[in-house]
Amino acid sequence: MTLRQGSRLGERRLQFQFDGQPLTAQAGDTIASALLANGISLVARSIKYHRPRGILAADQSEPNALVTVGVDAAAIANVSASSTLLHDGMIVRSQSGWPTLGFDLAAMFGSMRGVLSAGFYYKTFMWPSWRFYEPMIRRLAGLGPAPTASDAPIVEREHIETGIAIAGGGAAGLIAALSAARTGARVVLIERDSTCGGELDFETASIDGKPAREWIDDTMAELLQRGVRILTDTTLVGESQQRLLAVHRPARRDSQTMYRIHARACIRATGAVEQPIAFINNDAPGVMLAGAAELYLARYGVHVGKNVVLFGNHDRLYATAKRLLDGGVNVQAVVDTRAYVRPLHIEELRARGVECMQHHAVRSSHGRRRVHAVTVVSLDDAHRSQRISCDTLLVSGGWVATGTHGAVTLDHLHWSRACGAAAGAWPLQEVLNQASGVGIEAARVCGYDGTAVSTMASGDPAPGVQAFVVSPATPTEQKLQFVDLQNDVTVADLRQAIDEGFVDIEHIKRYTTLGVGTDQGATASALGAAIALKLLGKPNELAKPSRRRLPLHPISLAALSGPRIGTAFAPIRRTPLHDWHVANGAVMESMGLWMRPRYYRSNGSDASSAGIAEAARARQSGGFMDASTLGKIEVHGRDAAAFLDSVCLMRASLLRDGRSKYTVILREDGMVIADGLIMRLANDRFITTVSSDHADHLAAHFQYWRDRRWSDRRILMTDVTEAWAAIAVAGLHSRKKLSTLLGRPFVEALGTLAHMSFFEAQHRGQELRILRASYAGELGYELHCRPDAAVSLCELLIDAGLKPYGIEALDVLRTEKGYLGGSEMNGQTTPYDLGLSAQLHANERCIGSALLNRAAFNEPERQALIGIRAADGRSRFLAGAQIVATDRRTRSAGHVTSAVFSPALSQWVGLALIDRSVVSSGVSLLAMDPLRQLQTAIVTTAAAHFDPTGERMKST
Amino acid sequence: MLIDCPFCGPRDSHEFQFLRVLAPAGADEFNEVYGRVNRLDVSVELWQHRHGCQAWLVVERNPSTAQVLSVALLRGDRP
């Protein structure tokens, strides 16, 4: 095979595979150009009817040619063949052909076109539910599969601060950049191709007397020399609140960069998208956009066909025909829908043997896997038609500016303008004049000024497009006139949507799936909108395509998340005892960001049996647990007590030094957000401890109220969570054991320490604070020490014969006692609901208490916390089960918030939030758990299942 | 969206956490929580520089353009 000549091609040969077939390509090829060069025209099957499809476009507007790249679990699906650079050894597979692309069983759907119309799925698969059919339908109709493994590409993120960001490096983008850069403004230019130039690449154009390519190279050189940053291979994917998002895809896929560009001004020089025309079988392989054929020829030296017919509604067709002829492609005919075409265009082509037809249209193409002929019909007389043999039909229905075809523009957010073809400018001279003016305007926004660069350019003349969107066809034939190739939406579907009452294009879009594909309807939205207007009998000038949504082009989730994944997104917090737990066989579990020991392997093979064993042992012979994750906020200052009085449901000001008290903290709306203890260290010093998952939130809550109401008072607040490790020791003999192991100065203090009191002393030269309190409901002490003393303290406890227990056991112990956990304080429960009315009487002026007087909180149906057990004293029930009354099983009366097997009571016990009126009616209750197939008759009890009077905890 | 923190300078809005719209002066407890001033041009909001200096801020924003109009410390604004 001889080397092809094209502006993007290198000389190196590449090997690649398509559906297992080894093929060769040249460096610089895209997947699509390589396939075309190898004579492959059938590259995909369509999503709904499994019709054969080829390559339509030469850029990201491609609707058909989506392929899977790679082989293993990390293969990337839905890659656009027309805009993806091929590299050596690439393994490319077609999608949605089963069992093979050439012989597709599901193509029988093609004969069901009349059935699979718009809204078919919505209307048909209703019984028993859509979920029943969805997996089958997804298998048949869907794009490629999502990768199951991560290929972990390195995604870097770069923030760029600049004056002007310009999207698009075609003629307009380059001249705008040049004008702006010459004033001294800072400019960043984003170009999706590997080099700038856009359509100048293949248009017969000259600027300032130079051939286009030379002008491009000179301009890029000057831009670089002026410090303009040119990001090639970079796609604009979004524009949002004062920043642009762009993704850089280098030639090799092992790294990519997401740029966030903050600019004072943005210029969209993103050009225009060539539009197809709807005719019968316009989706067959061999039908291609005219501009794409030119591009494949100029950049990749590819002849898209041997015998070509051009079909369109503008003058550019004739320039294209000439360039194709010059490139060695045989052009059979040019079919123009316009009645009048200037003779100048026609004469030269006729002389070269090209048939030129005016006021004619291609009615249909023939050939299933590849076009082999087209039927051309006169627009004056529908009965006059002729058949022309050809293997390729190039179609062009004009252009739609990317701006109007829906790019989300946020002009009101920051200075942002379209220029060039994106602003509707045409031809080249006008594009250059307009764009250089916009470049100067943007520079002024950044505080620079100058004169617009003026140029003399010649290129293709203005095309003189006359709207023509759909060829004549009968209503039955409209089922073969495709509007959205990616979603198999036809003219008949649009007509049906309109017949069913949809008028607005946004509604038609949603009903028919017009333009909802990965291409965002680049070649479908504007066409569909224009055809819909025609069907509605409205003038074409009103055509407004449906809106696109971000991202403007498909990007991987990895590109969005960047390096912030895993622990870089959510760092792991470890307590000072973490390594000790692991060394002692703990199974660690994450709770929020913290890692905590769930259970110790030596106590059982699974969490539930180990947890029960650990809890039973703690009640019998004592134990200890790591409580370092407890949130600790130190509040200090002359007004600390008064401040705490206002944010906590207790009176900190009445607390004596060395004493602590239980408190709950309310949100402004009266809901309980956390509970904990307040310890008074000194007259002006307090520590508030709260459950681990609330520390951050609570600190913010406290800071808010300090700033809001107490900013002129003397209060300092510090989160000291990590400054203190904490070990909770529980058990009947804990006092004796602590006295023995801590030695002299502690013996006496421990002996007289009352429940909820604490003292501070030095142990082995380090601070140790001992608080008598227990979340396990036993005689217990919390040892608060500095982090580096925690491990040696732990070893002492082990030496004294105490064993550690994990959070699984803690959950058993606290549920037996009816203490509150996160599932009870769920942000929707008031102190009344949780049985904390007594707390409320202690401090009625606390934040949140005012709104507790609302009537709804006192309705008899309001759910309240209550203890539950199985009616038979044996059966199991689990947290999350719904509670229903046996006389009204269809209505939820509440749910189980906590459920554990209690070793102390030898049965399942739990806490539940249940409708008070249902409880007081005495009706029998069921815990229904259909997901886990449990149904348990339950009875209600007091929340405290074990030792309700707290004798064990308060024992002397 | 950039928020100009009085302590830290202009920082990306990712660093801040929104709490709610600030009730107009003199609102009772109920309206303090549930009252909503829903103006297109100005929204006075409470934000905390959560991933920064922790300062609580009163941010005036134009919700239809996402433009930040002013930033002040909550501390200076006592009802």
Side-chain angles (χ1 to χ4, degrees):
Chain A
M1 196 172 99
T2 54
L3 281 175
R4 282 172 282 131
Q5 297 297 317
S7 64
R8 294 291 163 87
L9 292 181
E11 299 203 334
R12 199 160 65 88
R13 283 185 193 280
L14 308 178
Q15 308 293 320
F16 76 108
Q17 275 187 22
F18 180 66
D19 281 344
Q21 188 186 354
L23 299 165
T24 56
Q26 265 170 260
D29 264 326
T30 61
I31 297 174
S33 70
L35 289 172
L36 288 168
N38 281 281
I40 292 173
S41 50
L42 170 59
V43 298
R45 288 272 176 175
S46 72
I47 188 166
K48 209 154 115 185
Y49 306 127
H50 289 244
R51 287 168 66 89
R53 291 286 164 81
I55 292 160
L56 183 81
D59 55 26
Q60 286 152 324
S61 63
E62 175 64 51
N64 287 332
L66 299 179
V67 293
T68 296
V69 172
V71 277
D72 47 14
I76 308 280
N78 307 335
V79 171
S80 165
S82 306
S83 57
T84 304
L85 209 61
L86 187 93
H87 38 84
D88 203 24
M90 205 181 228
I91 295 186
V92 182
R93 285 177 298 152
S94 59
Q95 297 178 166
S96 69
W98 185 79
T100 69
L101 186 60
F103 174 71
D104 186 338
L105 268 183
M108 66 181 183
F109 281 136
S111 56
M112 291 169 64
R113 269 186 311 278
V115 181
L116 286 167
S117 56
F120 169 72
Y121 292 99
Y122 303 134
K123 291 171 184 166
T124 312
F125 297 103
M126 295 285 286
W127 186 90
S129 86
W130 164 249
R131 286 221 320 245
F132 178 76
Y133 297 97
E134 192 180 352
M136 284 187 282
I137 291 168
R138 291 255 181 255
R139 181 167 151 55
L140 279 169
L143 297 171
T148 54
S150 167
D151 61 348
I154 301 158
V155 180
E156 292 179 355
R157 183 172 286 183
E158 184 178 340
H159 288 256
I160 300 175
E161 291 278 345
T162 188
I164 303 166
I166 301 175
L174 284 171
I175 197 87
L178 192 63
S179 283
R182 282 188 184 167
T183 68
R186 284 189 303 157
V187 179
V188 172
L189 182 65
I190 305 161
E191 167 57 43
R192 66 183 179 188
D193 275 336
S194 54
T195 182
C196 291
E199 297 218 346
L200 283 182
D201 243 13
F202 53 88
E203 217 178 85
T204 327
S206 70
I207 300 172
D208 288 341
K210 298 176 205 168
R213 188 70 244 173
E214 197 182 320
W215 181 82
I216 296 164
D217 292 340
D218 290 353
T219 306
M220 284 177 75
E222 183 180 341
L223 290 176
L224 291 170
Q225 183 250 323
R226 289 183 181 277
V228 171
R229 188 144 175 216
I230 303 177
L231 304 171
T232 53
D233 290 310
T234 302
T235 310
L236 179 70
V237 293
E239 188 182 3
S240 72
Q241 306 174 348
Q242 294 156 18
R243 75 173 82 88
L244 292 176
L245 297 178
V247 184
H248 171 60
R249 288 197 194 83
R252 305 201 66 82
R253 226 194 49 228
D254 48 13
S255 83
Q256 54 177 303
T257 308
M258 162 74 85
Y259 298 100
R260 283 166 186 267
I261 304 169
H262 299 251
R264 300 276 297 277
C266 292
I267 297 175
R268 295 188 308 278
T270 44
V273 181
E274 194 169 23
Q275 297 294 304
I277 295 172
F279 55 88
I280 299 163
N281 291 331
N282 59 335
D283 63 327
V287 177
M288 186 185 274
L289 292 170
E294 280 210 69
L295 190 146
Y296 284 121
L297 178 66
R299 290 186 182 167
Y300 308 105
V302 170
H303 292 182
V304 296
K306 291 188 180 69
N307 275 308
V308 171
V309 171
L310 283 112
F311 170 41
N313 56 355
H314 53 75
D315 287 342
R316 175 86 174 247
L317 293 176
Y318 302 93
T320 302
K322 273 181 233 165
R323 286 193 283 262
L324 289 173
L325 283 168
D326 294 345
V329 178
N330 181 35
V331 179
Q332 293 274 98
V334 177
V335 181
D336 196 326
T337 60
R338 297 172 299 168
Y340 174 76
V341 179
R342 277 187 291 173
L344 148 91
H345 292 307
I346 300 169
E347 279 154 15
E348 188 189 337
L349 285 178
R350 284 212 170 123
R352 295 174 76 170
V354 179
E355 195 176 345
C356 292
M357 290 180 266
Q358 291 87 51
H359 214 223
H360 276 65
V362 170
R363 192 172 182 282
S364 64
S365 82
H366 308 284
R368 226 165 132 65
R369 294 200 198 168
R370 174 88 199 208
V371 172
H372 58 69
V374 293
T375 297
V376 177
V377 65
S378 161
L379 293 174
D380 295 317
D381 177 359
H383 297 295
R384 270 176 36 214
S385 66
Q386 58 174 301
R387 203 174 156 109
I388 305 174
S389 290
C390 63
D391 64 356
T392 301
L393 176 68
L394 300 181
V395 59
S396 180
W399 292 264
V400 170
T402 49
T404 58
H405 106 269
V408 180
T409 63
L410 297 168
D411 286 356
H412 59 278
L413 279 187
H414 55 144
W415 196 93
S416 172
R417 295 282 184 279
C419 74
W426 211 292
L428 184 57
Q429 183 67 60
E430 193 190 323
V431 166
L432 292 168
N433 292 348
Q434 190 263 355
S436 64
V438 169
I440 290 297
E441 278 181 63
R444 289 198 187 113
V445 171
C446 302
Y448 294 87
D449 206 354
T451 48
V453 177
S454 74
T455 48
M456 287 297 292
S458 69
D460 286 356
V465 178
Q466 279 176 21
F468 185 87
V469 288
V470 55
S471 295
T474 65
T476 315
E477 288 168 336
Q478 285 177 349
K479 290 175 185 165
L480 290 167
Q481 292 185 317
F482 286 84
V483 181
D484 185 332
L485 297 177
Q486 193 171 99
N487 295 304
D488 273 353
V489 178
T490 65
V491 174
D493 292 325
L494 297 181
R495 190 164 43 80
Q496 190 201 330
I498 289 164
D499 287 348
E500 294 186 16
F502 296 94
V503 177
D504 190 279
I505 190 63
E506 294 292 341
H507 293 150
I508 295 173
K509 169 183 179 173
R510 280 150 186 80
Y511 191 58
T512 60
T513 71
L514 171 75
V516 302
T518 59
D519 59 344
Q520 297 240 14
T523 56
S525 292
L527 181 66
I531 294 175
L533 281 180
K534 195 177 154 80
L535 294 171
L536 284 162
K538 291 183 182 167
N540 184 269
E541 292 77 60
L542 298 174
K544 202 176 112 225
S546 56
R547 277 190 300 274
R548 293 167 79 191
R549 296 191 182 167
L550 305 184
L552 300 174
H553 293 287
I555 51 171
S556 66
L557 290 174
L560 280 177
S561 66
R564 283 195 284 180
I565 51 170
T567 52
F569 174 71
I572 294 174
R573 296 179 83 180
R574 297 182 180 86
T575 74
L577 290 170
H578 183 90
D579 295 342
W580 186 91
H581 294 308
V582 173
N584 284 275
V587 174
M588 304 300 288
E589 190 186 49
S590 59
M591 291 188 76
L593 298 180
W594 285 107
M595 294 299 290
R596 302 191 68 183
R598 190 167 179 205
Y599 65 98
Y600 296 83
R601 282 192 194 84
S602 53
N603 301 321
S605 57
D606 62 275
S608 125
S609 63
I612 293 167
E614 289 171 13
R617 188 171 58 205
R619 290 235 188 275
Q620 274 159 23
S621 51
F624 68 93
M625 73 164 297
D626 181 3
S628 304
T629 58
L630 208 61
K632 306 166 203 83
I633 299 164
E634 187 163 329
V635 184
H636 188 195
R638 199 183 60 199
D639 298 312
F643 170 73
L644 287 172
D645 278 355
S646 79
V647 292
C648 298
L649 211 49
M650 56 92 75
R651 300 290 296 277
S653 53
L654 300 180
L655 210 55
R656 280 180 285 116
D657 292 0
R659 290 282 294 165
S660 73
K661 199 164 167 57
Y662 177 78
T663 186
V664 293
I665 292 145
L666 304 182
R667 209 162 52 196
E668 293 83 335
D669 61 0
M671 302 299 171
V672 175
I673 45 174
D675 68 347
L677 299 183
I678 292 186
M679 300 157 72
R680 188 167 201 162
L681 305 180
N683 195 38
D684 60 350
R685 258 180 90 205
F686 296 83
I687 282 192
T688 309
T689 66
V690 283
S691 52
S692 5
D693 37 344
H694 288 302
D696 279 359
H697 180 70
L698 207 69
H701 180 76
F702 279 10
Q703 283 157 355
Y704 171 72
W705 283 107
R706 181 202 50 201
D707 284 3
R708 186 72 198 269
R709 291 252 177 93
W710 297 79
S711 62
D712 57 345
R713 308 287 279 274
R714 296 173 71 173
I715 305 153
L716 285 172
M717 230 177 281
T718 316
D719 186 343
V720 295
T721 302
E722 292 184 5
W724 293 94
I727 301 172
V729 184
L732 265 180
H733 311 295
S734 50
R735 181 189 299 127
K736 208 160 57 190
K737 288 193 170 163
L738 283 178
S739 302
T740 316
L741 65 93
L742 293 174
R744 282 257 18 192
F746 291 89
V747 178
E748 199 182 328
L750 281 167
T752 56
L753 193 66
H755 183 55
M756 299 300 272
S757 294
F758 66 92
F759 68 96
E760 289 167 296
Q762 296 276 314
H763 178 252
R764 294 185 178 170
Q766 290 197 299
E767 297 158 274
L768 182 61
R769 184 181 293 149
I770 300 188
L771 164 69
R772 182 173 164 190
S774 172
Y775 194 49
E778 294 294 315
L779 171 65
Y781 298 88
E782 276 180 22
L783 313 182
H784 294 215
C785 64
R786 292 301 179 182
D788 47 357
V791 172
S792 62
L793 207 53
C794 218
E795 299 290 356
L796 281 177
L797 295 169
I798 290 283
D799 291 346
L802 288 163
K803 293 278 199 311
Y805 59 90
I807 51 170
E808 194 74 25
L810 179 71
D811 202 42
V812 172
L813 295 168
R814 71 103 190 160
T815 306
E816 284 180 339
K817 286 292 292 175
Y819 290 158
L820 304 177
S823 44
E824 285 81 31
M825 291 177 287
N826 60 11
Q828 300 175 3
T829 46
T830 67
Y832 301 131
D833 302 340
L834 298 175
L836 297 166
S837 311
Q839 291 278 331
L840 212 53
H841 296 309
N843 182 0
E844 285 175 338
R845 294 175 58 194
C846 150
I847 281 154
S849 51
L851 291 191
L852 281 174
N853 298 325
R854 285 178 284 168
F857 291 155
N858 293 300
E859 279 172 0
E861 290 81 19
R862 179 89 191 160
Q863 294 182 357
L865 190 72
I866 197 161
I868 54 168
R869 297 189 197 180
D872 60 5
R874 282 185 292 112
S875 296
R876 187 166 69 120
F877 55 89
L878 298 171
Q882 292 296 310
I883 289 170
V884 296
T886 45
D887 62 351
R888 203 175 166 196
R889 294 187 186 211
T890 50
R891 174 183 173 266
S892 169
H895 72 280
V896 181
T897 56
S898 304
V900 297
F901 180 81
S902 160
L905 301 167
S906 299
Q907 63 170 302
W908 286 83
V909 300
L911 299 172
L913 287 164
I914 311 180
D915 182 330
R916 282 183 282 208
S917 67
V918 171
V919 174
S920 59
S921 74
V923 67
S924 32
L925 299 174
L926 283 174
M928 306 275 281
D929 199 348
L931 277 180
R932 290 169 293 199
Q933 295 181 326
L934 285 175
Q935 182 173 324
T936 316
I938 54 158
V939 291
T940 57
T941 65
H945 293 278
F946 178 75
D947 185 26
T949 54
E951 277 169 43
R952 295 169 77 96
M953 199 162 62
K954 293 171 188 161
S955 70
T956 45
Chain B
M1 190 173 84
L2 295 177
I3 295 177
D4 196 351
C5 174
F7 292 120
C8 312
R11 313 291 298 179
D12 195 282
S13 60
H14 286 142
E15 294 183 10
F16 298 79
Q17 189 167 338
F18 171 80
L19 180 70
R20 62 162 176 266
V21 173
L22 183 69
D28 61 10
E29 281 110 341
F30 183 85
N31 281 301
E32 177 82 26
V33 177
Y34 296 104
R36 289 280 179 277
V37 183
N38 207 1
R39 277 174 59 176
L40 263 178
D41 53 346
V42 182
S43 173
V44 186
E45 301 168 349
L46 291 164
W47 290 73
Q48 187 189 21
H49 197 188
R50 192 80 179 259
H51 305 288
C53 64
Q54 312 283 313
W56 275 97
L57 308 171
V58 178
V59 177
E60 276 192 313
R61 224 165 51 85
N62 180 334
S64 48
T65 64
Q67 257 178 325
V68 175
L69 306 172
S70 77
V71 181
L73 287 176
L74 171 65
R75 225 161 60 182
D77 162 83
R78 279 191 308 119

